[in-house]
Amino acid sequence: MELEAQAMNLVTRNTLSHGKMLPAEIWLKVFLFMKVWSNEWDTAITDFPLLLTRVCRQWRQLARSCSELWTLVCCKIRADSMQRGALKGHEDWLACTGYQPITLNISCDIQDPTLINPFLQLYYAHFAHVRALRIRMSYRLTGRALDPPPQNALPICEEICTSINGNSNISWLCPVFQGKIPRLRSLKMDRNTSGTQLLLPVEAHLCNLVSLDAACNNFRLHPADIIRSCPHLVHCRLLFRLSNEQVRMWDVPNAAPFIIPHLRTLRLGDWDAYNWRDVFSLASFPALEELTIIGHMWPISSFVPFLKRSQCQLRALVFQSTNIPADALLDILRCISSSLKQLSIEQIDMLLVALTPNADSKIIVTPLLEVLKIQSQGPFAHTDGRLIDLVRARMAGLVTGVATLKEITVECGNMTTG
């Protein structure tokens, strides 16, 4: 082992010795090429750029002179942060950014505001240069104990992502959304205030969004008006868990029809059985390609008219925890038969009724279907001849004019031998 260590030391010294003959521009290109972040949330203050400064004097000078190396700023606040002098390390890191636009990740694994606030104040001073802000807090916090940021502090921010313990009070974030965020394109809010009634004033920042991912209860707007307020939306997930009291807090939806022309992926869900009738009654999504619906919300009489009105080429459809009668499922599949390639559903019997060709009809439902996923909590006999015949015919390409089924997944809570 000692000989191996000596050999490695010799190789390293020779490499650095020859490296001194390379121009600084080449080294900078190498450094930037090596700027790979495997996990942005877990990147510590002692990672890649600082490691470069510890190799030799030349590398230290080059690394500190290249502000682009330091633009991913990861603040992981831990219990021993102050003891190790991490705050001073963060100050030095920010000095190296040269006021370039930065991605700021704040991850907090403690509950003591006296340890959190010094870091928050340090980064608030640099909010004007934040292009992407991501905040993750794992433990329950009393929001009033945290120092709030100033208003209008994010003039160039394009992305905000928050993942905060659902039982925390997040009133300290209100100034962020009360101010102006004119360039905001992506908003992700995960788990926020699932246990409280606090609503953040985020509605003013929806108009330029391209991506909206909200698994929280932070909106006062009705879901239909949330989507209506995002005319440039491409990707959308709204996953709520609402009590009747929270639903009553919503504003009455605007009754005017609306179109979101570029929306391609949409995921709607509510485990407490709130239905999305108003969304499907009012909206048209002509570019929609992927749709996921979660929750016991059927029947929805407006769903098939929504598909016909949108005239979208829907490629993937997922029903999760949704009880759909066979006739309703058949009407849906007929409506998107010419484009559907992926289907995921939980009700095996309903699916078999809908997909099994009728002897009296020459029309084959979903002729382009390539991927089929069945998830059922109830019992299912693996010898069920209907499913075996359907899979055999589709996977073997035995049905004329029907694409070959490339993948099928069956997950059942209770598989019986029947």
Side-chain angles (χ1 to χ4, degrees), residues 161-200:
C161 174
T162 64
S163 179
I164 298 175
N165 184 287
N167 293 319
S168 295
N169 185 301
I170 57 172
S171 58
W172 64 281
L173 280 177
C174 282
V176 169
F177 296 104
Q178 288 172 340
K180 297 179 180 179
I181 318 175
R183 298 188 185 181
L184 190 63
R185 298 292 182 271
S186 176
L187 176 60
K188 181 176 181 180
M189 306 176 72
D190 183 24
R191 299 186 298 156
N192 298 354
T193 67
S194 61
T196 75
Q197 301 294 325
L198 179 64
L199 299 173
L200 293 180

Side-chain angles (χ1 to χ4, degrees), residues 45-220:
I45 195 68
T46 56
D47 273 348
F48 172 65
L50 283 183
L51 293 177
L52 294 177
T53 67
R54 297 169 182 169
V55 175
C56 66
R57 182 180 301 176
Q58 181 192 20
W59 281 26
R60 176 180 176 82
Q61 293 174 344
L62 288 175
R64 294 185 69 88
S65 68
C66 182
S67 58
E68 191 174 347
L69 280 174
W70 307 83
T71 54
L72 177 58
V73 184
C74 297
C75 174
K76 190 169 184 179
I77 308 174
R78 297 175 294 192
D80 60 346
S81 293
M82 298 303 292
Q83 297 175 3
R84 301 192 324 171
L87 188 62
K88 179 60 168 63
H90 284 260
E91 293 174 350
D92 293 341
W93 187 295
L94 288 170
C96 292
T97 64
Y99 298 102
Q100 293 290 319
I102 62 174
T103 294
L104 174 57
N105 294 344
I106 300 177
S107 178
C108 181
D109 296 328
I110 60 176
Q111 295 178 275
D112 188 351
T114 62
L115 293 180
I116 300 173
N117 283 329
F119 288 93
L120 293 181
Q121 289 296 336
L122 172 63
Y123 284 105
Y124 290 162
H126 292 263
F127 263 26
H129 311 288
V130 171
R131 182 161 50 194
L133 175 63
R134 301 161 189 167
I135 301 174
R136 185 177 72 176
M137 294 193 172
S138 304
Y139 295 100
R140 182 173 181 174
L141 293 167
T142 303
R144 295 174 184 174
L146 296 179
D147 294 338
Q151 288 190 20
N152 302 323
L154 295 167
I156 68 168
C157 187
E158 299 176 358
E159 174 191 343
I160 293 180
C161 174
T162 64
S163 179
I164 298 175
N165 184 287
N167 293 319
S168 295
N169 185 301
I170 57 172
S171 58
W172 64 281
L173 280 177
C174 282
V176 169
F177 296 104
Q178 288 172 340
K180 297 179 180 179
I181 318 175
R183 298 188 185 181
L184 190 63
R185 298 292 182 271
S186 176
L187 176 60
K188 181 176 181 180
M189 306 176 72
D190 183 24
R191 299 186 298 156
N192 298 354
T193 67
S194 61
T196 75
Q197 301 294 325
L198 179 64
L199 299 173
L200 293 180
V202 298
E203 284 81 359
H205 309 293
L206 300 177
C207 60
N208 293 318
L209 289 186
V210 174
S211 177
L212 173 61
D213 187 345
C216 61
N217 302 331
N218 296 109
F219 293 92
R220 183 178 297 278

Side-chain angles (χ1 to χ4, degrees), residues 363-376:
I363 299 176
I364 305 236
V365 180
T366 64
L368 302 181
L369 192 66
E370 297 178 350
V371 178
L372 177 61
K373 185 173 183 179
I374 303 172
Q375 294 178 297
S376 176

Side-chain angles (χ1 to χ4, degrees), residues 206 221-230 251-255 258 282:
L206 300 177
L221 286 178
H222 186 280
D225 287 336
I226 293 175
I227 300 176
R228 183 199 303 272
S229 301
C230 309
D251 295 334
V252 177
N254 186 333
F258 65 94
L282 301 173

Side-chain angles (χ1 to χ4, degrees), residues 240-374:
F240 298 141
R241 190 182 184 116
L242 299 170
S243 64
N244 291 331
E245 182 180 355
Q246 287 171 313
V247 171
R248 287 194 294 268
M249 294 175 66
W250 280 348
D251 295 334
V252 177
N254 186 333
F258 65 94
I259 299 175
I260 307 297
H262 307 296
L263 185 64
R264 294 204 304 265
T265 60
L266 176 63
R267 186 179 183 187
L268 301 175
D270 188 325
W271 297 112
D272 293 332
Y274 178 78
N275 65 63
W276 299 86
R277 289 185 179 90
D278 292 320
V279 174
F280 297 126
S281 295
L282 301 173
S284 296
F285 308 135
L288 192 63
E289 297 178 355
E290 301 176 15
L291 175 61
T292 299
I293 299 178
I294 304 172
H296 301 276
M297 58 186 71
W298 236 259
I300 297 182
S301 59
S302 58
F303 188 67
V304 170
F306 153 75
L307 293 174
K308 293 180 179 179
R309 183 173 64 251
S310 295
Q311 297 183 342
C312 56
Q313 297 296 305
L314 199 65
R315 296 187 299 103
L317 178 62
V318 177
F319 288 114
Q320 185 176 339
S321 300
T322 304
N323 296 318
I324 305 178
D327 56 346
L329 178 60
L330 185 57
D331 288 340
I332 294 170
L333 295 181
R334 283 173 176 167
C335 189
I336 55 178
S337 180
S338 62
S339 60
L340 191 67
K341 293 186 177 183
Q342 300 179 34
L343 175 63
S344 178
I345 197 169
E346 295 180 345
Q347 301 154 278
I348 297 179
D349 289 337
M350 300 299 99
L351 178 66
L352 293 174
V353 171
L355 292 185
T356 301
N358 190 324
D360 300 328
S361 176
K362 296 182 180 180
I363 299 176
I364 305 236
V365 180
T366 64
L368 302 181
L369 192 66
E370 297 178 350
V371 178
L372 177 61
K373 185 173 183 179
I374 303 172

